[in-house]
Amino acid sequence: AVVSTQSTGDPKKMEFPLLGQPIQMIPDKSPVPQWLMDRKQEIEEADAFLSCVTEYNAAIPPAFTNMLCHFPPASFRHRPMGIITYSMGSGGGLRISAPLKAMVTD
């Protein structure tokens, strides 16, 4: 049997605070909100990722970057990730594909 679960990480809906320190750099995790620790665990347990991001002024949107930077890059490693980008410009989001890939695989 194939089991499929989905989760949406929307920085606008989840209201990530402005990054002060990524989770992996916080020695005592007690001040980290539980919803953020739950999201980290969900990311680490995922089989794959699908990222759909618009290009914003030739860059990854700041809110999306802020959201991703809360989690260690190792959280995304060794699993497939589909990256969908789009833009009103002629490149269709091409300018953010490589930086986004580097963010989650570095």
Side-chain angles (χ1 to χ4, degrees), residues 4 14 31 49 51 60-61 70 74 78-79 84 96-99 101 105:
S4 175
M14 297 187 73
F49 304 98
S51 174
I60 301 169
H70 276 79
H78 307 298
R79 283 160 296 155
I84 301 168
I96 65 170
S97 296
K101 181 181 176 186
T105 59

Side-chain angles (χ1 to χ4, degrees), residues 47-87:
D47 293 324
F49 304 98
L50 181 60
S51 174
C52 183
V53 185
T54 184
E55 184 178 303
Y56 178 80
N57 289 339
I60 301 169
F64 193 75
T65 299
N66 182 60
M67 180 183 75
L68 285 181
C69 286
H70 276 79
F71 308 105
S75 300
F76 302 95
R77 280 197 193 129
H78 307 298
R79 283 160 296 155
M81 176 178 242
I83 297 176
I84 301 168
T85 60
Y86 61 98
S87 171

Side-chain angles (χ1 to χ4, degrees), residues 10-106:
D10 184 340
K12 186 173 181 179
K13 291 180 182 176
M14 297 187 73
E15 298 184 17
F16 281 83
L18 186 60
L19 181 66
Q21 194 171 25
I23 291 176
Q24 72 271 23
M25 304 297 268
I26 302 171
D28 175 17
K29 306 283 191 256
S30 61
V32 178
Q34 187 58 47
W35 69 267
L36 195 54
M37 293 304 293
D38 292 344
R39 178 59 68 175
K40 178 180 178 289
Q41 181 176 353
E42 190 176 325
I43 290 169
E44 290 172 347
E45 293 175 356
D47 293 324
F49 304 98
L50 181 60
S51 174
C52 183
V53 185
T54 184
E55 184 178 303
Y56 178 80
N57 289 339
I60 301 169
F64 193 75
T65 299
N66 182 60
M67 180 183 75
L68 285 181
C69 286
H70 276 79
F71 308 105
S75 300
F76 302 95
R77 280 197 193 129
H78 307 298
R79 283 160 296 155
M81 176 178 242
I83 297 176
I84 301 168
T85 60
Y86 61 98
S87 171
M88 295 294 288
S90 61
L94 183 62
R95 291 182 283 197
I96 65 170
S97 296
L100 181 57
K101 181 181 176 186
M103 270 185 99
V104 296
T105 59
D106 210 6

